[in-house]
Amino acid sequence: MRRSLRALALAAALATLALAAPTQSHALVVGLGDQKPDTFTDPLFKQLKVKRTRYIVPWDAINDPAQRAIADAWFTAARRHRPRLEIVVAFNLSASQNCPAAPCSYPSVSRYRTAVRKFHRRYGRHVKIYQPWNESNSGTQPTSSRGKRGRAGKRQAARGARQVAKYYKVLVRIAGRRRIVTGADIQDIGDFVGYTRTFLRAVGRRKPKVMGFHNYTDTNRRRTSATQKFVRAMPRGTKVWLTETGALYKFIQQNGTVSLPPSESRARRSMTHMFRIARKFRRHIDRIYVYQWKALETDRFDAGVVNPDGTRRSSYTVLRRNRKFIR
């Protein structure tokens, strides 16, 4: 009886402690991606105490002395900022490609395997997470429809999705035992759900534990429809990471069309909405990589949380207000 009473008393004490302990309503983790080494020395960046970042690199950078020097400089700066910084590397088209205009082609599996293995040998000790191909369904990538329309475009996109599935399997074999390898990295444009499903079918039975999604449209148009479609397309047990998203200060298309004119107030609202999206889909989304830190004055795409001159924007204030997630 005494043992039973002691057990009951212990259970009651534990229950009281559980009720008293603060609960974490959302296990969201936020990182910040940027391509510039000097980002890591910016005092405003240091104030955020960023522990996770994402870097986009040509798949064959290791074979190009100029691209390798760029990668060396970025990794050196990142490591100086925080020796144990968690780095995501997303492979991208070669610097020699000009998609959707020619040249625009993806590498054979054997060429990809050789280059990625060499990259992993050089930088892998600093990389925690890999992505086989950045924004693989985007028209800027050879793994997309490459600007083709109709049935020809769908066939081309399907070929690209199957090719990315092959790259994913290669990357899992090279680094998957000790690294996280996400599945396809998808942009919220066109038939992104169809592209995603083609990729997943090509992967086969062993589905990725994580898929990457870039939901710029939802974030900046302040809606949730594309994110919801992507989440619903996921196999059971697969998480979604917003591996690239952010509040656009301005966006001008290649043909000069202004899609989003410069607006700091709109960017502030978009950054706030980004966190709303994460809360709404908290069962599926537990990680965000905000892009970018700072754009150049002449850039058509500007999602910087600071101005080109380094002064803070109001979107930085929103990010700082949510710094509890930067962990």
Side-chain angles (χ1 to χ4, degrees), residues 9-25:
L10 179 60
L14 289 173
T16 301
L17 286 171
L19 290 171
T23 58
Q24 190 169 317
S25 61

Side-chain angles (χ1 to χ4, degrees), residues 222-259:
R222 295 192 293 281
R223 58 196 191 196
T224 61
S225 55
T227 307
Q228 181 170 297
K229 287 178 183 177
F230 191 75
V231 164
R232 287 179 174 176
M234 291 302 97
R236 191 171 185 176
T238 297
K239 285 283 188 179
V240 172
W241 287 0
L242 302 182
T243 45
E244 189 178 315
T245 189
L248 281 161
Y249 171 76
K250 71 173 181 181
F251 177 54
I252 303 171
Q253 298 180 31
Q254 286 181 328
N255 62 7
T257 301
V258 179
S259 294

Side-chain angles (χ1 to χ4, degrees), residues 135-278:
E135 289 189 344
S136 60
N137 66 318
S138 167
T140 62
Q141 302 295 327
T143 50
S144 70
S145 63
R146 303 186 196 178
K148 296 179 181 179
R149 297 179 181 275
R151 292 182 180 178
K154 288 183 178 181
R155 287 194 295 269
Q156 186 65 60
R159 282 193 290 268
R162 289 191 288 269
Q163 189 73 4
V164 175
K166 293 176 184 177
Y167 297 155
Y168 166 76
K169 292 178 181 179
V170 164
L171 200 47
V172 167
R173 285 193 290 270
I174 291 173
R177 292 183 66 183
R178 297 189 177 182
R179 306 290 186 275
I180 296 170
V181 178
T182 76
D185 196 51
I186 304 294
Q187 189 178 4
D188 59 347
I189 57 172
D191 184 17
F192 64 89
V193 171
Y195 187 100
T196 299
R197 286 174 174 161
T198 299
F199 167 83
L200 290 169
R201 283 195 299 270
V203 165
R205 294 179 60 186
R206 294 188 177 182
K207 305 301 184 192
K209 297 296 184 183
V210 178
M211 289 282 285
F213 189 53
H214 298 189
N215 69 338
Y216 281 110
T217 304
D218 275 0
T219 298
N220 290 278
R221 300 295 183 186
R222 295 192 293 281
R223 58 196 191 196
T224 61
S225 55
T227 307
Q228 181 170 297
K229 287 178 183 177
F230 191 75
V231 164
R232 287 179 174 176
M234 291 302 97
R236 191 171 185 176
T238 297
K239 285 283 188 179
V240 172
W241 287 0
L242 302 182
T243 45
E244 189 178 315
T245 189
L248 281 161
Y249 171 76
K250 71 173 181 181
F251 177 54
I252 303 171
Q253 298 180 31
Q254 286 181 328
N255 62 7
T257 301
V258 179
S259 294
L260 293 172
S263 173
E264 190 168 337
S265 60
R266 186 194 60 245
R268 182 188 68 248
R269 292 192 297 271
S270 296
M271 185 68 79
T272 301
H273 185 64
M274 182 190 76
F275 286 102
R276 289 197 193 105
I277 292 172

Side-chain angles (χ1 to χ4, degrees), residues 20-317:
T23 58
Q24 190 169 317
S25 61
H26 189 188
L28 179 67
V29 174
V30 174
L32 199 149
D34 198 274
Q35 297 296 106
K36 305 176 188 67
D38 59 3
T39 293
F40 299 106
T41 59
D42 189 319
L44 289 175
F45 184 86
K46 289 182 176 180
Q47 286 179 22
L48 292 176
K49 298 182 179 179
V50 174
K51 300 175 179 65
R52 293 170 175 83
T53 191
R54 179 174 177 267
Y55 182 54
I56 305 167
V57 64
W59 68 270
D60 58 349
I62 199 70
N63 299 326
D64 182 337
Q67 293 298 320
R68 192 167 60 245
I70 292 171
D72 283 345
W74 188 91
F75 273 98
T76 298
R79 295 283 293 167
R80 283 175 180 169
H81 163 70
R82 187 178 291 271
R84 299 186 68 181
L85 183 70
E86 184 187 87
I87 296 171
V88 180
V89 163
F91 291 110
N92 202 28
L93 78 170
S94 172
S96 64
Q97 300 295 292
N98 190 35
C99 296
C104 182
S105 61
Y106 47 70
S108 67
V109 172
S110 60
R111 289 181 65 206
Y112 180 88
R113 180 189 298 112
T114 300
V116 167
R117 183 179 284 125
K118 288 167 65 177
F119 182 97
H120 183 59
R121 286 172 182 166
R122 186 178 183 90
Y123 303 107
R125 66 187 182 279
H126 307 311
V127 179
K128 178 67 174 178
I129 302 156
Y130 280 111
Q131 295 193 281
W133 204 278
N134 174 58
E135 289 189 344
S136 60
N137 66 318
S138 167
T140 62
Q141 302 295 327
T143 50
S144 70
S145 63
R146 303 186 196 178
K148 296 179 181 179
R149 297 179 181 275
R151 292 182 180 178
K154 288 183 178 181
R155 287 194 295 269
Q156 186 65 60
R159 282 193 290 268
R162 289 191 288 269
Q163 189 73 4
V164 175
K166 293 176 184 177
Y167 297 155
Y168 166 76
K169 292 178 181 179
V170 164
L171 200 47
V172 167
R173 285 193 290 270
I174 291 173
R177 292 183 66 183
R178 297 189 177 182
R179 306 290 186 275
I180 296 170
V181 178
T182 76
D185 196 51
I186 304 294
Q187 189 178 4
D188 59 347
I189 57 172
D191 184 17
F192 64 89
V193 171
Y195 187 100
T196 299
R197 286 174 174 161
T198 299
F199 167 83
L200 290 169
R201 283 195 299 270
V203 165
R205 294 179 60 186
R206 294 188 177 182
K207 305 301 184 192
K209 297 296 184 183
V210 178
M211 289 282 285
F213 189 53
H214 298 189
N215 69 338
Y216 281 110
T217 304
D218 275 0
T219 298
N220 290 278
R221 300 295 183 186
R222 295 192 293 281
R223 58 196 191 196
T224 61
S225 55
T227 307
Q228 181 170 297
K229 287 178 183 177
F230 191 75
V231 164
R232 287 179 174 176
M234 291 302 97
R236 191 171 185 176
T238 297
K239 285 283 188 179
V240 172
W241 287 0
L242 302 182
T243 45
E244 189 178 315
T245 189
L248 281 161
Y249 171 76
K250 71 173 181 181
F251 177 54
I252 303 171
Q253 298 180 31
Q254 286 181 328
N255 62 7
T257 301
V258 179
S259 294
L260 293 172
S263 173
E264 190 168 337
S265 60
R266 186 194 60 245
R268 182 188 68 248
R269 292 192 297 271
S270 296
M271 185 68 79
T272 301
H273 185 64
M274 182 190 76
F275 286 102
R276 289 197 193 105
I277 292 172
R279 285 196 296 273
K280 179 173 181 177
F281 298 101
R282 58 186 173 272
R283 291 179 58 193
H284 306 277
I285 298 172
D286 59 11
R287 190 169 294 208
I288 295 174
Y289 291 88
V290 175
Y291 187 85
Q292 65 197 135
W293 180 248
K294 180 172 65 177
L296 300 176
E297 191 74 49
T298 55
D299 286 349
R300 295 183 299 102
F301 180 100
D302 182 349
V305 296
V306 299
N307 288 301
D309 64 2
T311 55
R312 72 181 70 193
R313 286 175 173 163
S314 53
S315 53
Y316 174 92
T317 304

